């Protein structure tokens, strides 16, 4: 899967999480995934709980519009972001710069 792709309700993104970072940050990663650095540890869902609001804030949507689709216990996760697909893709593209195509 590319770092993001359109879905019926918005877009889906792939994220590689690095827990226990100094601060929370979502940025461009590889062509296959975004890179998320989270201060939360990877125990009892803390990293997942920190990832959802970070993605929501970055994409400008309410937390309820961000859903963890796959990778609950893995570093590689897939999230669904509900909303205007074109606007969400533009935000994803801006994180990578114009050279990336999703």
């Amino acid at each position: 899967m590319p770092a993001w792709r359109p879905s019926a309700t918005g877009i889906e993104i792939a994220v590689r999480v690095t827990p226990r970072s100094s601060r929370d940050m979502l940025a461009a990663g590889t062509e296959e995934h975004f890179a998320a650095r989270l201060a939360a540890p990877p125990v009892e869902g803390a990293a997942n709980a920190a990832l959802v609001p970070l993605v929501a804030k970055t994409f400008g949507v309410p937390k309820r519009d961000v859903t963890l689709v796959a990778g609950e216990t893995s570093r590689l996760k897939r999230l669904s972001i509900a909303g205007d697909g074109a606007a969400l893709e533009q935000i994803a593209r801006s994180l990578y710069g114009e050279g990336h195509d999703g």
Side-chain angles (χ1 to χ4, degrees), residues 24-99:
D24 292 349
M25 179 181 73
L26 182 68
T30 68
E31 285 191 21
E32 290 84 32
H33 54 74
F34 287 90
R37 300 195 184 286
L38 303 171
V43 294
E44 297 179 11
N48 291 340
L51 180 61
V52 169
L54 175 63
V55 170
K57 180 179 177 185
T58 303
F59 282 87
V61 299
K63 290 184 279 189
R64 69 177 177 269
D65 289 345
V66 178
T67 307
L68 182 64
V69 176
E72 190 170 321
T73 60
S74 169
R75 282 183 182 252
L76 294 175
K77 301 179 184 300
R78 195 168 69 239
L79 294 99
S80 173
I81 307 171
D84 177 4
L88 294 171
E89 283 192 65
Q90 183 57 41
I91 293 166
R93 203 172 279 114
S94 73
L95 288 170
Y96 272 87
E98 295 304 315

